[in-house]
């Protein structure tokens, strides 16, 4: 159930990022993850993907891959 919810959350977030609108995509992801969290998903299943995402975002930003208009 939670995997399906994650997939349903990823589709609109990916489409929003394609526009590109990073801020709105991050807000949609945060809201969706909050809903999944409050639906009863265990912290043990939430923390690893969130940490991987944060590390990935950090690598993208520090590697200079982020486009200029995302940082404005």
């Amino acid at each position: 159930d939670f995997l399906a919810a994650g997939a349903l959350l990823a589709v609109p977030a990916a489409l929003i990022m394609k526009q590109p609108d990073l801020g709105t995509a991050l807000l949609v992801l945060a809201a969706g993850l909050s809903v999944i969290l409050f639906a009863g998903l265990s912290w043990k299943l939430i923390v690893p993907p969130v940490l991987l995402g944060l590390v990935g975002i950090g690598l993208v930003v520090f590697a200079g891959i982020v486009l200029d208009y995302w940082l404005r």
Side-chain angles (χ1 to χ4, degrees):
D1 290 335
F2 292 113
L3 188 58
L8 289 173
L9 177 63
V11 171
L15 290 173
I16 293 169
M17 285 186 72
K18 188 171 172 76
Q19 287 184 352
D21 191 357
L22 182 61
T24 303
L26 291 176
L27 287 174
V28 167
L29 283 172
L33 290 174
S34 299
V35 169
I36 291 172
L37 172 67
F38 290 125
L41 189 60
S42 170
W43 281 99
K44 293 177 186 175
L45 296 174
I46 294 174
V47 172
V50 169
L51 289 177
L52 283 174
L54 291 174
V55 168
I57 289 170
L59 289 174
V60 166
V61 169
F62 288 119
I65 299 171
V66 175
L67 302 174
D68 287 336
Y69 56 82
W70 280 3
L71 295 176
R72 281 187 250 149

